[in-house]
Amino acid sequence: MQRRYDERLHLMESGVNPYPCQFDVTTFSTDIIEAFRDEEQTPVSVAGRIMTIRKMGKASFFHMQDSKGRIQIYLKKDEVGDAAYSTFKLLDIGDIVGVEGYSFRTKTGEISVHALHFELLSKSLRPIPVAKEKEVEGQKVVYDAFSDKELRYRQRYVDLIVNPEVRDTFIKRSAIVTFMRGFFTGKGWLEVETPILQPIYGGAAARPFTTHHNALDMQLYLRIANELYLKRLIVGGFDGVFEFAKDFRNEGIDRFHNPEFTQVELYVAYKDYNWMMELVEELLYRTALGVNGTHTTSFLGNEISLEPPFRRLTIVDAIKDYCNIDVSGKNESELRSAAKDLGLELDPKIGAGKIIDEIFGEFVEPKLIQPTFITDYPTEMSPLAKEHRSKPGFVERFELIAGGKELCNSFSELNDPVIQRERLEAQAKLRLRGDEEAMVVDEDFLRALEYGMPPCAGLGIGIDRMVMLITGQESIRDVIFFPHLKPE
RNA sequence: GAGAAUAUAGCUCAGUCGGUAGAGCAUCUGCCUUUUAAGCAGAGGGUCGAAGGUUCGAGUCCUUCUAUUCUCACCA
């Protein structure tokens, strides 16, 4: 690396600015290749990073990588001039250069750029771990790729330079979000922004990150969800609102969980959870088709089809199907002994609804590979959902499971302020008993409901998991640019 | 939170029974005007994750620590 620092000085002394201000780019690498005709010499101006170099005496080849891909450049001393050629001879893999010239095809058939003018645009002082590649029977073989996961996550910029499939994943992530945004706004719903710093956190069951506002000398929380704020906006008269939201949960980290993650939440007035299921089917199908060109995806070793309709199953029927147990009408101690028969260890503090959920999570969820709506959860675990119109003790709620993992959560939203208060106060009692994840009573939210919220369907989709599903990545760290790691 | 594994050159990795550190690529010097894992000839590059210990001697054995990876638990 010292050598490159010396080289930077040497270049400056010989009158070459290693960091000029701009360069006029007219074309991208892939566009040159696509537009190429053997009869024509199209003038081009491209810029990018040197990824391979083959220096020969008075002529050289190198590959340059820009934001779209790579292209080979051919450089002859008697065409670019002595000065530029000797500058080139000092350059390294990783340096960023600009080339003007014309496209041509080499003896071996590769479409390339024949350089007429060449300049250094940015000197790279740190060696880049570029892997060599070779085509063997049409297959690309990569030698000694930059693969150390820790380094890849800590220095994502290097990962992105060197591993093109990483860049592709993040381009798809952006396409997924863009597609969804267009889908929602196309229906006439409003994209909004609500507070990340919240005096009372709510809308989910999780432990928060805590921070402090100096001027007000008060404790604030990073939001664990934005649900309660979006519902306030439905009270305020919007028919449909959505927000792509970073949420923060102070919990463990694994390949499905990052302390900060992205959710889109959507609330639509006058609709219920049945309507929302159809919307989710349409959304997932069209997003996959729009981004991947196909409705099938390979996720955690399974082929998954996102073609509607998705299977629908109540949580009670699901447990009946997969465990041969009918949990309906059973009281807490009957459920507890049923769970024990299945070999499930349970916390003695949890109630009937939670036991049903534990059985489901342990024995059913991992088996639901193709997208499946699980519906009608016990009321106890869903304090913000509306009581089922015909099943006492259950709420109108669904989760979408795919690949054995939860992707979405949705309900017909509870809009009776009296029942909502009872539910939240019950949560507060659980909290006093030591349940750190139980919800807190939010008086302002209850006040908003007292003014009247129309019937409403709400939805939350985990964007990171959805990107994993659609891009086939197996760790959340591979769909978040800068996943959380302990400091070096 | 528990268990297992890993940590050696810029990258990917070897390193046998405990005896002064190895390869390929990358880098440097020279030659080379259609190469593509360019080639040929030569060269440099290491606090072996950190700190202790055992030993005449530790990359190698022991202890502790740190980080990462995987699995499990937790995360409705």
Side-chain angles (χ1 to χ4, degrees):
Chain A
M1 221 166 83
Q2 185 56 46
R3 199 212 92 241
R4 292 192 181 206
Y5 276 84
D6 294 345
E7 203 164 76
R8 169 180 167 277
L9 281 178
H10 182 244
L11 284 163
M12 289 166 93
E13 281 161 11
S14 63
V16 176
N17 178 2
Y19 301 101
C21 293
Q22 57 87 236
F23 182 80
D24 291 325
V25 175
T26 61
T27 332
F28 293 110
S29 58
T30 46
D31 298 337
I32 293 173
I33 292 164
E34 275 166 30
F36 184 75
R37 300 283 175 279
D38 276 299
E39 318 76 69
E40 298 167 17
Q41 286 193 346
T42 317
V44 295
S45 175
V46 285
R49 192 183 293 275
I50 297 176
M51 298 302 282
T52 67
I53 305 192
R54 290 168 295 283
K55 290 180 188 173
M56 294 171 295
K58 298 187 181 65
S60 297
F61 288 89
F62 64 93
H63 275 98
M64 165 198 277
Q65 176 169 293
D66 63 16
S67 61
K68 297 279 185 70
R70 285 189 189 189
I71 189 155
Q72 181 173 251
I73 312 290
Y74 175 56
L75 201 69
K76 269 203 289 191
K77 186 178 184 178
D78 46 18
E79 286 177 338
V80 297
D82 288 1
Y85 197 77
S86 54
T87 299
F88 170 75
K89 289 216 122 183
L90 288 175
L91 297 191
D92 298 295
I93 286 173
D95 290 347
I96 295 170
V97 298
V99 167
E100 290 166 24
Y102 57 88
S103 55
F104 78 114
R105 190 186 290 275
T106 64
K107 258 184 196 168
T108 52
E110 180 166 350
I111 295 163
S112 307
V113 172
H114 192 124
L116 298 174
H117 171 77
F118 164 86
E119 69 183 281
L120 174 62
L121 300 179
S122 183
K123 179 70 193 162
S124 163
L125 298 183
R126 205 175 265 275
I128 285 176
V130 172
K132 295 219 167 188
E133 298 171 1
K134 185 188 184 181
E135 297 257 334
V136 178
E137 292 159 13
Q139 294 284 310
K140 192 153 83 170
V141 182
V142 180
Y143 295 83
D144 302 332
F146 178 60
S147 58
D148 183 286
K149 283 194 177 172
E150 180 180 1
L151 282 176
R152 287 183 45 219
Y153 296 144
R154 285 197 196 280
Q155 302 185 31
R156 180 70 88 181
Y157 34 90
V158 177
D159 193 27
L160 287 164
I161 292 167
V162 172
N163 294 321
E165 68 283 0
V166 174
R167 184 171 49 186
D168 292 345
T169 299
F170 285 101
I171 290 172
K172 274 191 180 172
R173 179 178 177 127
S174 174
I176 289 165
V177 171
T178 301
F179 192 93
M180 292 174 76
R181 176 173 281 122
F183 181 88
F184 294 146
T185 53
K187 304 253 182 198
W189 302 325
L190 190 70
E191 180 166 19
V192 299
E193 293 179 86
T194 64
I196 293 172
L197 289 174
Q198 301 180 346
I200 298 173
Y201 60 93
R207 282 176 290 172
F209 287 91
T210 307
T211 187
H212 184 261
H213 190 290
N214 291 338
L216 297 177
D217 189 22
M218 68 181 290
Q219 184 159 276
L220 287 171
Y221 303 95
L222 299 181
R223 68 179 168 204
I224 58 173
N226 53 357
E227 171 155 356
L228 303 186
Y229 283 94
L230 293 177
K231 284 181 181 170
R232 285 171 170 97
L233 295 178
I234 296 295
V235 169
F238 295 110
D239 279 339
V241 290
F242 67 95
E243 179 175 16
F244 285 91
K246 262 288 178 71
D247 291 339
F248 305 84
R249 296 188 184 173
N250 207 338
E251 312 275 4
I253 299 172
D254 63 27
R255 65 183 175 134
F256 294 101
H257 298 86
N258 195 60
E260 57 179 288
F261 64 103
T262 306
Q263 254 197 124
V264 64
E265 289 202 31
L266 166 73
Y267 293 82
V268 181
Y270 311 113
K271 304 297 186 188
D272 67 359
Y273 78 138
N274 291 310
W275 173 88
M276 189 64 92
M277 275 188 259
E278 286 179 22
L279 184 89
V280 167
E281 285 175 337
E282 183 190 354
L283 175 66
L284 287 195
Y285 178 70
R286 285 176 49 182
T287 303
L289 217 53
V291 170
N292 275 342
T294 164
H295 63 269
T296 61
T297 171
S298 167
F299 182 56
L300 301 173
N302 294 295
E303 278 291 308
I304 292 175
S305 165
L306 295 173
E307 188 170 19
F310 301 161
R311 189 177 172 203
R312 298 183 189 193
L313 209 54
T314 67
I315 191 167
V316 170
D317 287 343
I319 292 172
K320 217 180 282 177
D321 283 6
Y322 288 87
C323 303
N324 240 331
I325 293 173
D326 187 355
V327 293
S328 59
K330 281 200 163 60
N331 64 30
E332 185 180 325
S333 65
E334 288 167 333
L335 286 168
R336 201 171 286 280
S337 72
K340 203 172 176 187
D341 292 343
L342 289 166
L344 197 59
E345 297 268 330
L346 289 176
D347 185 333
K349 279 181 291 192
I350 67 177
K354 191 82 196 274
I355 295 172
I356 293 174
D357 187 58
E358 290 279 336
I359 295 172
F360 174 79
E362 184 69 22
F363 300 104
V364 184
E365 192 175 68
K367 293 177 185 157
L368 299 176
I369 302 304
Q370 296 304 320
T372 306
F373 289 119
I374 297 297
T375 65
D376 303 347
Y377 285 70
T379 304
E380 182 191 322
M381 341 157 14
S382 314
L384 301 171
K386 186 179 271 186
E387 187 82 6
H388 196 281
R389 62 196 79 180
S390 59
K391 294 181 194 168
F394 292 88
V395 291
E396 297 202 351
R397 170 180 176 184
F398 72 82
E399 288 193 353
L400 177 66
I401 317 288
K405 284 283 156 191
E406 176 195 341
L407 265 189
C408 315
N409 187 16
S410 166
F411 2 104
S412 299
E413 300 296 337
L414 177 55
N415 61 347
D416 180 333
V418 175
I419 295 177
Q420 184 66 85
R421 175 175 293 279
E422 288 169 10
R423 298 259 194 91
L424 287 180
E425 282 173 355
Q427 286 283 311
K429 276 183 198 148
L430 289 176
R431 209 177 165 72
L432 286 176
R433 286 207 332 232
D435 183 348
E436 283 186 83
E437 290 176 350
M439 292 182 193
V440 179
V441 179
D442 184 334
E443 287 294 341
D444 178 70
F445 171 63
L446 290 169
R447 177 167 62 191
L449 287 190
E450 283 167 352
Y451 282 102
M453 182 172 83
C456 171
L459 169 72
I461 303 176
I463 293 293
D464 309 285
R465 288 188 187 178
M466 177 152 171
V467 173
M468 288 169 69
L469 174 71
I470 289 181
T471 62
Q473 296 299 316
E474 303 199 342
S475 169
I476 199 168
R477 292 187 170 124
D478 292 319
V479 299
I480 292 175
F481 274 127
F482 304 104
H484 185 78
L485 297 174
K486 287 192 195 176
E488 284 180 77

